[in-house]
Structure formats: structure tokens, C-alpha cells
């Protein structure tokens, strides 16, 4: 008896490759237009959270406040045991 399963019988999580396609975006402060992050975003939706390991370049001091105007643009949280910055709505915008 073979223990190998046919690929069609595996769940979709096991069939997908271990990598995803990401695109790099630039994140700016909405109030003063200061450059905050260079981030690898996955998916087509809006920017809800920034996972710390996907941040390519951080231009803030790491305190989740804009370095120019000092407004808070995100809150710290965890997603699947990874640190993430949950973006406060309308405090940032991004360009592709």
C-alpha cells in the first residue's frame, strides 16, 4: 500500500509553492507626505497591516510615528506569531 497521495487529493495549502509573489510599494504619511517605508505587499487589497519582516527599508525611528509631523500611523500587533504594524485608516497612502 502506498502512502503517497495524489496531488488532487491534497489540500490547496499543501499544493501551493512555499513562496508568494510580492510587489514593492512606497508608504507615505498622509498629513505631511513624509516617506515612511519601502514594503513588500502581497495581494490586491488595501493596506491593512505591515508585517515587520517584509519591510525593506524603514525611515521611521521604529516607534510607529511619522518622523516629520509626529502623528501615529500604525499600532503594534501580532499575526501568526509575527510582529505587524496595523495601519490606522487614512493616516498613510502608498504608491506602486
Amino acid at each position: 500500500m502506498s502512502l503517497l497521495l495524489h496531488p488532487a487529493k491534497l489540500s490547496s495549502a499543501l499544493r501551493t509553492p512555499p513562496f508568494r509573489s510580492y510587489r514593492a510599494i512606497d508608504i507615505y504619511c498622509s498629513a505631511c507626505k513624509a516617506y515612511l517605508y519601502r514594503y513588500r505587499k502581497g495581494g490586491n487589497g488595501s493596506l491593512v497591516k505591515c508585517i515587520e519582516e517584509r519591510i525593506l527599508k524603514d525611515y521611521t525611528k521604529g516607534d510607529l510615528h511619522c518622523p516629520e509631523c509626529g502623528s501615529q500611523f500604525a499600532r503594534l500587533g501580532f499575526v501568526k506569531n509575527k510582529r505587524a504594524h496595523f495601519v490606522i485608516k487614512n493616516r498613510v497612502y502608498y504608491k506602486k
Side-chain angles (χ1 to χ4, degrees), residues 2-33:
S2 175
L3 294 176
L4 297 175
L5 294 175
H6 190 269
K9 295 186 186 267
L10 293 176
S11 70
S12 64
L14 296 175
R15 278 186 275 145
T16 57
F19 59 89
R20 289 184 59 173
S21 62
Y22 297 104
R23 66 179 190 272
I25 61 171
D26 297 323
I27 301 175
Y28 299 91
C29 176
S30 291
C32 65
K33 313 294 189 255

Side-chain angles (χ1 to χ4, degrees), residues 59-91:
Y59 294 99
T60 65
K61 297 172 189 150
D63 58 355
L64 305 178
H65 288 77
C66 176
E68 300 277 328
C69 64
S71 65
Q72 183 179 8
F73 62 87
R75 295 183 185 93
L76 185 63
F78 290 90
V79 175
K80 297 180 185 175
N81 293 328
K82 296 178 186 174
R83 290 171 53 105
H85 302 169
F86 287 90
V87 176
I88 301 171
K89 192 174 182 179
N90 297 327
R91 296 280 177 96

